[in-house]
Amino acid sequence: MASSQHVLLSPAELSYLHSSLSLTPPLRPDGRSPTQYRPLSAETGILPGTNGSARICFADGTEAIVGVKAEVEKTKRRWDDDTIFSENNHHQQQQQQQQQQQEGEEENEGRNNNDEEGGSSDWVELTVEIPGYRDDDSGTVFLGQMLSEALLADGGFVKRLRINRRFHWKLFLDILLISPPLSYPLPLLSLTTHLALLATRLPKLKSEGDEDPFFDDDWAAAPYLYARDPATKRVAERPPVTLLVMAVGGNIIFDPSKEELAVADVVLAVSVGDDAQGKGEDRMDVDGSNPGRNLKLLSIRTVDPPSRLTPPGVANAANSAYGHAQVVNTGANQKMPEARQTESEAVEGVWKPPRGGAKAVVMGALVQKVLVRGGVADEVLDALEGVDTS
Amino acid sequence: MPREAEPSLNEKQFVLQALQDSVRLDGRELEQYRPLELTFGDQYGVADVTLGKTRVLAKASAELTVPYADRPLDGIFNIATELSPMTSPAFEVNRPTETEVLISRLLEKTVRRSGALDTESLCLVAGQKCWSIRVDVHVLSHDGNLIDAACFAVVAALRHFRKPDTSMEGGVLTVYTPAEREPVPLSWLHSPFCVTWSFFGEEGDIAVLDATWMEEQVRSGSCTVSLNQHGEICQIAKLGGVPVEAVSLLHCTNVALVKAKDMSSKLDRWLAEDAKRRDKGGLLAELSAENDRVPDM
Amino acid sequence: MPLDTSTYNLALLRVDGRRWNELRRIHAQIRTQAAADGSSYLEMGHTKVMCVVTGPSEPGPRRGVAGAGGGGGGGGAGGQSKEAEVVVNIVIAGFSSVDRKRRGRGDKRTLEMQSTLSNTLAATLHTHLFPHSQINISLHVLSQDGSLLAALINAATLACVDAGIPMTDYVTACTAGSTSTYAANDEGADPLLDLNHQEEQELPGLTVATLGDSDKVVALVCESRVQISRLEGMLAVGVDGCKQVREILDQVIKAQGQKMILEGTVDKGTGLNDMDLD
Amino acid sequence: MADRRRINGPPGATMAPVFEDDAGQPEIKNGKGRDRAPNVIRKTFLKTGVTPSASGSAYLEFEGSSKSGVSGLKLSCTVHGPRSLPRSSPFSPHIVLSAHVKYAPFATKQRRGYLRDPSERDLGTHLETALRGAIIADRWPKSGVDIIISIIEGDQDRETSKSQGDETWDMMNVLSGCITVASAALADAGIDCVDTVAGGVAALVQDAGEDSTPRIVVDPIPSDHEKVLGACCVAYLPTRDEVTNLWFKGDLPASDAGLYTQLVENGIQASRNANRVLVECLGEATS
């Protein structure tokens, strides 16, 4: 499932799209504003057989289902972890842990201790299924890696899966795209995963310490993976979301459709998390509206813009027996940094696939636009908060 | 993907029309098999089956390995099918075609899932050591009805096969070479055989057994029934194709039972013949009780 | 955990409280998905499947459709054939069963089901009307509780109706089993209709798919050992079950059609006069 | 998993022997850090034309750290093409680029199988993105080029444990090496590019010690530092001043946008350094 799937658009159509998207404000084919997402309907808890599940339908008909299943797994001992599991050691560990809690999670002296608190990224297994594509297709792998990267980036997520020193939860995330991939499914899959994780509950632990874990049978007592604030019923910390954002001309466009991607200059997938730390009580009380979040940047990936693979248009002037005139022309233009722009402007209305990369400044602007307080990431998280995940 | 040349329209028409009149190109009755031949190899567990021009070779082998973690008390039993380009240009190496997947599934369901081989008897030390029995099926020549031939070959190979004898003493597992101890046969429970029906025509009212390659090209559906000599169905697979009246399917299974019993007795006879041939002057003959009494005479 | 069949003999009730000839609850919906040409959602008891049909359309560039061939039925490669190719793709979600089990793309059981579905549907769809094209059927299994193949066939039929692909009749499927084990040749064994997962594990059973309300069997799959004498009873119950399923599916389609006419999504055509709308 | 084509090892796990450290090692473990200036990349060896049978090829080596038991990075890249596409594939107005990255089974601590795993496929996709921006693809319609990279030695510290999650950071270094070596091999194959693209890595690291503050270093070796807070890998075209691929990972507060910009700038700096090596190497080859 590469972003570079074939787009059946003629050079003339591409050229029209490009110029209309480059206008200020840009004119998108479906009439959205540059930062607007496609309208969506979402529900959670649709699959009783899972620990958490969610389904999102975008208005254009693309639909995804995510199911989360958890299993108890024995934590692997590492070769350099020479602590023999004895009662003595056990106490020591507990003391250390207590001590550590007092000190906050800032400092950890021994490596051993450090590992106790952390987890391994093997504890999460994420699979993406796109109908019609093999699961080892590079595009599918890319999507899966991108989503798991965001989830595991800060190492905080796996900590939630720890049961005790010897056991942990192994979380399986199965992400299914139900509809045919009409657009690059990254935003859809990311939002659905976000909701599914919010709805995920793990059985309540009844055992104590490091004994073999056993759990409360009562599902109603099962705590959420992402704990709710008991008073406000709000989720304190939220799973990350990955936003797809592209630049075309001078404009920045969010949640691009397949057609819009076909003329993109640069496409970025930006994962952001909502940092719970620093989110004080004082900011919660403002009449329900969100006073802004402490966003954090978790990962950025460049998505290969499919525009590079579009067929070029041929200008009337160059449309003679020898098309070489154009190639020579581009060769000369390469000396100039703005070669691409000048080329496309040179012949009005003739599509030319972009060449080269993007300025670091442009990429920076894209990221900035995502992260800025009250920006799109904030909006998306706000909107997702509206979904009932209980 | 390379494809086999399809038969021409005229050929198809000819075969179909002949079948309408209950005539087959090779002069057989509709419910008649081509001559079935079986040759055992020099080694134990090699069976070479020919069914008309179709020829399938199966070889059984055993090796010691670790049982699967989730089934510590069971041995491992696998059937590997290989349809090489030698058989037909439509088959490619390392890329299972639909035919190959279906054949291997059918064999698996017929022989493995029906419990023909007692996998528990393959386990030597629970969770640590077990036999892994593997049957490799090689199709040498493809003239239709691969499934029946392959199934017969697999069953024959497994029943002919002898695995090295082992003993367990004080926690020490010993595997004996054929020279030390005569290899032992597998613990075999029942012998299932596949019988494949082919249906022809829009209505699927002409049912034919043991279709040749040409007939398979023009058939509109097929149904494979696996049965053993005790009259148990091990598997039925009519995977789509032309709709057939339920009553005629019942008739098909009943005829298939007769054919399966026939195959079963044939295989028993061949196995007995082979055993007799091997016994002649064999190690077993020397050590048998009758020999002991010779000096007394 | 062996199924306690002794209780069945006492009360003639099965583990989930059904009688021998009762179907589980079937809930179905069509047109669940706006972007697809046809779509459906089907629940048979706790078995839940979704189906999306795309096409008939121009065969896309040969992508690595799951496994080789992807269960391509219809006949020949899509491009040149005189009939549309029915390409079926089944995704069994990892979370669908009680214990998570991941099935890779090369899983032979899935490939076999794909091929079965493709050939089953090709028998009823008028593929000859769409030469050089492809009908893509993609199925998602969200939850499994027995009778999986039957549910897949039913869901695919519904989605094909929704997609408006001409077909001879409904292909409906259900499972049938028998209370006897393979060894016991007891004559008193009852046939059972519509097996759930537990029954499927313990008892012999078969999946049967029939065309319309005829007795014509399109697909018949039996994967367990059973006495040949049991077959007739099981088959009869199964075929009868298929007819019941057909009625249910027919109602679903009619209800959706009615709704669409009332909503004005489609014009009330001439052919619809005899359909009674209240 | 089901690798039936090769003769695989026996079932049941075998472990490579682990030798105990010399006495006194432990203090070095945490005490010994980076011995380069923050803006200096490791010494790099690059040579083109190493595989005569390929249209283009290159070999790249990063110097290992001075610490014992730390291997450098060794990459070899071959480029096949431009060549005609197989007849079954559809028309393409551009050159079809496919990048294949594979660790040798012995390249890392953990043995790699013969089948590509997700992380290798992921590297391949990143590499494709980085190179596609550099290649002038429309000069070869209906043709394809295959770029095959084998990682002969992965950049890994044998003494750090697997569960420290360092592998993810190692991948960035490997990717930057891949980009540079592939660029050299493409040039060797004579495939037109807008510029030579080179990879560079910058990371925000925290060193051991009570009072150390996070700092930005280029070309980091994860085991040299106590903790890596974030890193980015940049593929950069110096003459056009453009970035073809950006991969960032980590945990940065959004409020501090300067940190991100600095990180990318440092990545670009590292890439410029690598580019100098690249250009020099190509110059040597042609002279």
Side-chain angles (χ1 to χ4, degrees):
Chain A
M1 173 56 249
S3 64
S4 53
Q5 53 184 305
H6 276 273
V7 199
L8 298 170
L9 290 176
S10 67
E13 287 168 308
L14 290 166
S15 161
Y16 164 75
L17 264 172
H18 187 267
S19 46
S20 63
L21 287 174
S22 307
L23 295 172
T24 27
L27 209 57
R28 299 178 72 170
D30 45 9
R32 283 183 283 161
S33 79
T35 56
Q36 201 177 358
Y37 260 62
R38 282 166 282 181
L40 59 87
S41 63
E43 52 180 327
T44 58
I46 48 161
L47 301 165
T50 58
N51 290 68
S53 57
R55 165 173 171 260
I56 289 188
C57 268
F58 269 152
D60 65 357
T62 49
E63 180 182 5
I65 289 183
V66 173
V68 182
K69 243 177 144 70
E71 282 171 14
V72 177
E73 202 181 58
K74 241 190 166 125
T75 308
K76 272 199 206 103
R77 317 293 288 159
R78 291 188 341 267
W79 61 267
D80 63 338
D81 187 6
D82 48 7
T83 47
I84 296 153
F85 190 64
S86 66
E87 205 54 21
N88 187 17
N89 221 320
H90 187 108
H91 284 302
Q92 210 179 340
Q93 286 291 343
Q94 277 187 337
Q95 275 167 12
Q96 277 180 354
Q97 273 174 15
Q98 280 163 8
Q99 197 184 352
Q100 207 178 8
Q101 273 159 14
Q102 285 159 10
E103 287 173 9
E105 283 182 48
E106 299 293 79
E107 200 49 65
N108 30 41
E109 305 94 345
R111 174 134 46 100
N112 242 341
N113 214 340
N114 180 14
D115 285 339
E116 287 309 327
E117 280 304 309
S120 157
S121 42
D122 319 336
W123 295 2
V124 180
E125 199 179 303
L126 189 143
T127 51
V128 179
E129 287 275 5
I130 310 286
Y133 288 86
R134 295 159 59 126
D135 53 4
D136 59 354
D137 182 271
S138 59
T140 315
V141 170
F142 193 69
L143 278 171
Q145 294 277 325
M146 198 150 29
L147 292 170
S148 60
E149 184 174 275
L151 202 57
L152 302 170
D154 57 353
F157 181 71
V158 285
K159 282 185 197 159
R160 297 170 187 276
L161 302 176
R162 191 171 176 278
I163 297 172
N164 57 33
R165 276 188 69 215
R166 292 167 53 226
F167 291 93
H168 64 259
W169 288 107
K170 171 132 189 175
L171 214 61
F172 296 93
L173 278 129
D174 289 284
I175 302 173
L176 310 182
L177 186 70
I178 302 288
S179 61
L182 297 173
S183 56
Y184 194 56
L186 178 68
L188 173 67
L189 300 184
S190 162
L191 296 184
T192 320
T193 312
H194 177 95
L195 286 181
L197 283 171
L198 274 184
T200 300
R201 304 163 86 168
L202 298 173
K204 189 178 174 167
L205 189 67
K206 277 174 95 180
S207 58
E208 288 171 355
D210 287 337
E211 59 185 287
D212 285 5
F214 60 92
F215 300 95
D216 197 342
D217 284 342
D218 186 8
W219 183 243
Y224 285 96
L225 182 65
Y226 281 88
R228 308 300 202 255
D229 192 308
T232 54
K233 296 274 177 224
R234 284 171 69 155
V235 186
E237 194 178 345
R238 303 177 72 87
V241 285
T242 305
L243 309 180
L244 194 65
V245 48
M246 70 174 225
V248 55
N251 290 320
I252 294 174
I253 289 171
F254 281 83
D255 188 28
S257 67
K258 185 179 173 184
E259 291 77 22
E260 288 165 335
L261 278 174
V263 295
D265 291 337
V266 57
V267 186
L268 287 187
V270 184
S271 304
V272 290
D274 183 4
D275 201 352
Q277 275 133 30
K279 191 168 189 170
E281 298 290 313
D282 52 325
R283 300 200 288 116
M284 294 295 267
D285 53 2
V286 192
D287 58 30
S289 74
N290 200 312
R293 305 151 185 285
N294 268 10
L295 293 180
K296 54 186 181 179
L297 181 62
L298 296 176
S299 107
I300 302 173
R301 276 177 182 231
T302 316
V303 178
D304 200 9
S307 50
R308 289 201 185 121
L309 297 174
T310 48
V314 180
N316 277 341
N319 193 1
S320 59
Y322 53 103
H324 281 288
Q326 255 202 328
V327 178
V328 174
N329 189 17
T330 45
N333 275 343
Q334 274 163 40
K335 298 283 185 293
M336 299 151 65
E338 292 87 9
R340 189 166 18 79
Q341 276 88 340
T342 46
E343 260 174 45
S344 55
E345 274 159 17
V347 191
E348 179 73 35
V350 177
W351 168 248
K352 202 92 188 87
R355 187 179 284 173
K359 295 270 184 264
V361 189
V362 175
M363 289 192 172
L366 287 179
V367 176
Q368 208 47 47
K369 186 98 177 178
V370 174
L371 293 177
V372 72
R373 183 156 289 190
V376 181
D378 249 350
E379 268 174 41
V380 169
L381 283 169
D382 278 343
L384 288 173
E385 212 159 292
V387 181
D388 179 27
T389 52
S390 49
Chain B
M1 203 159 48
R3 278 195 295 156
E4 198 146 24
E6 274 182 39
S8 69
L9 264 177
N10 288 347
E11 274 179 295
K12 287 185 182 174
Q13 282 289 328
F14 179 64
V15 174
L16 276 177
Q17 257 174 20
L19 281 170
Q20 301 275 2
D21 304 331
S22 299
V23 176
R24 293 174 79 170
L25 290 195
D26 46 11
R28 279 184 287 155
E29 299 292 313
L30 293 186
E31 298 182 358
Q32 191 186 351
Y33 262 79
R34 288 170 287 179
L36 180 69
E37 293 295 335
L38 170 70
T39 334
F40 290 110
D42 290 338
Q43 276 178 297
Y44 281 121
V46 179
D48 184 347
V49 172
T50 54
L51 186 64
K53 280 191 222 158
T54 298
R55 185 170 167 200
V56 180
L57 182 103
K59 182 178 187 313
S61 54
E63 82 175 311
L64 271 182
T65 181
V66 186
Y68 294 127
D70 51 340
R71 327 212 67 178
L73 296 175
D74 280 353
I76 299 171
F77 173 40
N78 275 317
I79 303 173
T81 40
E82 186 92 40
L83 297 185
S84 66
M86 178 173 87
T87 321
S88 148
F91 302 132
E92 272 180 274
V93 192
N94 293 325
R95 207 160 111 185
T97 55
E98 195 186 346
T99 333
E100 180 171 350
V101 169
L102 292 184
I103 289 184
S104 79
R105 265 294 286 178
L106 272 173
L107 290 178
E108 164 133 356
K109 286 195 284 191
T110 306
V111 183
R112 208 164 82 116
R113 282 190 46 138
S114 72
L117 180 67
D118 177 20
T119 47
E120 273 179 43
S121 71
L122 298 175
C123 182
L124 300 169
V125 185
Q128 286 174 32
K129 279 279 173 275
C130 70
W131 285 110
S132 162
I133 305 289
R134 176 190 164 114
V135 190
D136 289 276
V137 181
H138 295 273
V139 177
L140 303 179
S141 160
H142 178 12
D143 188 29
N145 206 8
L146 284 184
I147 292 170
D148 295 6
C151 181
F152 192 81
V154 168
V155 172
L158 283 167
R159 286 188 59 183
H160 187 246
F161 183 64
R162 303 282 184 276
K163 67 174 197 284
D165 199 8
T166 53
S167 74
M168 189 71 188
E169 247 176 81
V172 180
L173 178 75
T174 321
V175 180
Y176 297 99
T177 61
E180 287 171 325
R181 275 198 199 177
E182 189 67 9
V184 290
L186 300 169
S187 145
W188 191 253
L189 301 178
H190 68 111
S191 299
F193 297 96
C194 286
V195 178
T196 303
W197 288 90
S198 300
F199 302 105
F200 294 86
E202 289 286 297
E203 298 294 312
D205 42 4
I206 309 168
V208 167
L209 271 180
D210 188 24
T212 60
W213 182 84
M214 177 58 85
E215 286 164 342
E216 278 184 2
Q217 297 302 302
V218 297
R219 75 181 173 192
S220 40
S222 73
C223 176
T224 302
V225 188
S226 309
L227 297 131
N228 61 17
Q229 69 273 31
H230 313 304
E232 286 162 6
I233 294 169
C234 298
Q235 172 278 125
I236 302 176
K238 183 185 185 311
L239 310 176
V242 70
V244 177
E245 287 291 340
V247 184
S248 43
L249 275 178
L250 284 174
H251 167 74
C252 286
T253 26
N254 288 328
V255 177
L257 179 62
V258 178
K259 297 290 171 191
K261 282 186 172 158
D262 185 35
M263 281 197 239
S264 175
S265 56
K266 266 188 191 160
L267 178 60
D268 286 343
R269 203 180 65 229
W270 279 321
L271 278 168
E273 277 172 18
D274 184 71
K276 209 183 277 173
R277 184 172 61 83
R278 276 169 201 273
D279 252 5
K280 214 180 288 167
L283 202 60
L284 221 81
E286 277 172 34
L287 300 174
S288 69
E290 284 93 310
N291 287 358
D292 287 346
R293 289 190 209 104
V294 173
D296 292 358
M297 273 164 62
Chain C
M1 172 181 55
L3 193 68
D4 192 6
T5 35
S6 57
T7 52
Y8 176 80
N9 288 337
L10 290 175
L12 295 180
L13 289 177
R14 290 150 71 177
V15 273
D16 49 7
R18 282 182 292 152
R19 293 187 189 285
W20 65 273
N21 60 350
E22 258 180 288
L23 285 173
R24 288 177 289 176
R25 190 183 75 104
I26 294 183
H27 167 77
Q29 267 175 285
I30 59 168
R31 199 148 291 202
T32 52
Q33 228 236 311
D37 293 322
S39 54
S40 67
Y41 172 74
L42 181 104
E43 285 179 20
M44 282 175 89
H46 291 299
T47 300
K48 297 173 186 175
V49 291
M50 278 182 119
C51 179
V52 171
V53 173
T54 341
S57 58
E58 189 186 354
R62 269 267 162 222
R63 309 169 305 205
V65 178
Q80 284 92 46
S81 69
K82 278 181 256 148
E83 296 178 341
E85 190 184 6
V86 184
V87 176
V88 180
N89 187 20
I90 299 175
V91 176
I92 300 183
F95 49 74
S96 61
S97 47
V98 178
D99 299 313
R100 186 183 185 281
K101 194 174 177 194
R102 172 132 176 79
R103 293 186 176 282
R105 82 204 129 84
D107 182 62
K108 284 189 177 154
R109 191 177 148 230
T110 316
L111 289 179
E112 188 192 39
M113 283 204 286
Q114 281 176 190
S115 156
T116 308
L117 259 130
S118 158
N119 289 327
T120 305
L121 293 169
T124 183
L125 296 175
H126 290 191
T127 48
H128 60 276
L129 297 174
F130 310 100
H132 311 293
S133 35
Q134 199 176 48
I135 300 168
N136 264 301
I137 299 176
S138 124
L139 289 139
H140 293 262
V141 180
L142 302 180
S143 170
Q144 298 185 63
D145 185 26
S147 307
L148 181 60
L149 180 62
L152 289 172
I153 292 175
N154 294 335
T157 303
L158 282 179
C160 285
V161 172
D162 184 31
I165 303 169
M167 55 205 285
T168 320
D169 206 333
Y170 293 88
V171 181
T172 51
C174 77
T175 51
S178 173
T179 50
S180 80
T181 56
Y182 71 88
N185 198 5
D186 52 323
E187 289 304 313
D190 267 343
L192 299 174
L193 183 62
D194 194 13
L195 306 181
N196 63 24
H197 179 70
Q198 210 182 353
E199 289 168 331
E200 218 167 49
Q201 291 293 307
E202 299 295 331
L203 302 172
L206 49 81
T207 304
V208 54
T210 59
L211 184 68
D213 49 6
S214 69
D215 282 347
K216 292 204 156 198
V217 178
V218 187
L220 175 65
V221 181
C222 166
E223 300 194 332
S224 45
R225 240 165 114 182
V226 62
Q227 277 290 336
I228 193 164
S229 50
R230 294 274 83 81
L231 182 67
E232 188 174 353
M234 279 159 58
L235 198 56
V237 170
V239 169
D240 187 57
C242 289
K243 286 178 190 165
Q244 293 181 42
V245 174
R246 184 186 178 275
E247 281 308 305
I248 295 167
L249 298 193
D250 198 40
Q251 276 163 23
V252 170
I253 302 272
K254 281 187 176 148
Q256 177 72 22
Q258 234 173 54
K259 205 173 118 209
M260 282 162 63
I261 291 167
L262 291 177
E263 281 173 358
T265 330
V266 285
D267 291 330
K268 189 175 169 183
T270 43
L272 293 159
N273 282 334
D274 42 326
M275 212 164 111
D276 76 306
L277 297 169
D278 44 338
Chain D
M1 253 198 306
D3 184 9
R4 290 199 311 173
R5 297 186 209 175
R6 276 162 285 259
I7 297 170
N8 286 299
T14 50
M15 287 284 258
V18 176
F19 300 105
E20 214 167 297
D21 304 332
D22 293 337
Q25 275 293 85
E27 38 204 275
I28 294 180
K29 239 183 205 171
N30 286 335
K32 179 93 177 178
R34 182 187 171 93
D35 48 10
R36 285 173 283 140
N39 59 348
V40 173
I41 63 165
R42 280 176 286 173
K43 285 190 187 141
T44 313
F45 174 79
L46 184 64
K47 187 175 166 28
T48 56
V50 288
T51 314
S53 57
S55 330
S57 60
Y59 172 79
L60 173 124
E61 198 172 321
F62 279 164
E63 175 198 43
S65 143
S66 50
K67 202 161 71 174
S68 69
V70 182
S71 56
L73 181 70
K74 294 188 179 70
L75 300 173
S76 112
C77 173
T78 51
V79 172
H80 296 277
R83 54 186 178 188
S84 60
L85 287 171
R87 219 177 326 160
S88 56
S89 57
F91 170 78
S92 159
H94 302 282
I95 198 162
V96 176
L97 183 77
S98 68
H100 214 84
V101 179
K102 183 78 194 83
Y103 278 90
F106 47 80
T108 49
K109 269 180 300 183
Q110 212 76 14
R111 183 186 180 272
R112 301 274 181 158
Y114 284 100
L115 304 173
R116 282 196 293 164
D117 69 3
S119 69
E120 287 163 341
R121 288 176 192 278
D122 192 28
L123 278 176
T125 322
H126 277 296
L127 183 62
E128 258 174 50
T129 311
L131 295 178
R132 207 167 268 155
I135 289 181
I136 306 175
D138 45 17
R139 295 211 180 148
W140 288 276
K142 300 184 276 184
S143 39
V145 58
D146 295 308
I147 296 160
I148 296 136
I149 295 190
S150 2
I151 300 162
I152 301 166
E153 191 155 47
D155 199 5
Q156 273 192 341
D157 185 347
R158 254 183 278 141
E159 277 161 21
T160 43
S161 64
K162 187 193 150 246
S163 61
Q164 259 187 321
D166 281 340
E167 203 152 308
T168 48
W169 304 118
D170 284 327
M171 265 181 75
M172 291 236 174
N173 276 342
V174 169
L175 177 62
S176 79
C178 286
I179 293 168
T180 314
V181 76
S183 180
L186 278 175
D188 187 39
I191 293 172
D192 298 8
C193 293
V194 292
D195 192 2
T196 50
V197 60
V201 183
L204 182 67
V205 296
Q206 181 143 32
D207 283 320
E210 293 297 310
D211 53 345
S212 68
T213 48
R215 57 179 182 140
I216 295 177
V217 294
V218 302
D219 195 13
I221 299 174
S223 58
D224 278 351
H225 308 281
E226 177 67 26
K227 205 172 176 193
V228 181
L229 299 172
C232 80
C233 178
V234 182
Y236 178 73
L237 303 165
T239 48
R240 292 169 71 101
D241 183 29
E242 282 175 348
V243 174
T244 58
N245 188 19
L246 170 72
W247 183 20
F248 166 82
K249 245 173 102 152
D251 184 3
L252 290 188
S255 46
D256 194 359
L259 211 52
Y260 159 75
T261 325
Q262 258 181 310
L263 207 56
V264 174
E265 269 168 17
N266 274 285
I268 290 175
Q269 194 55 45
S271 160
R272 277 181 193 279
N273 287 339
N275 218 308
R276 269 203 288 280
V277 179
L278 180 58
V279 169
E280 200 170 310
C281 162
L282 293 177
E284 269 171 30
T286 46
S287 63

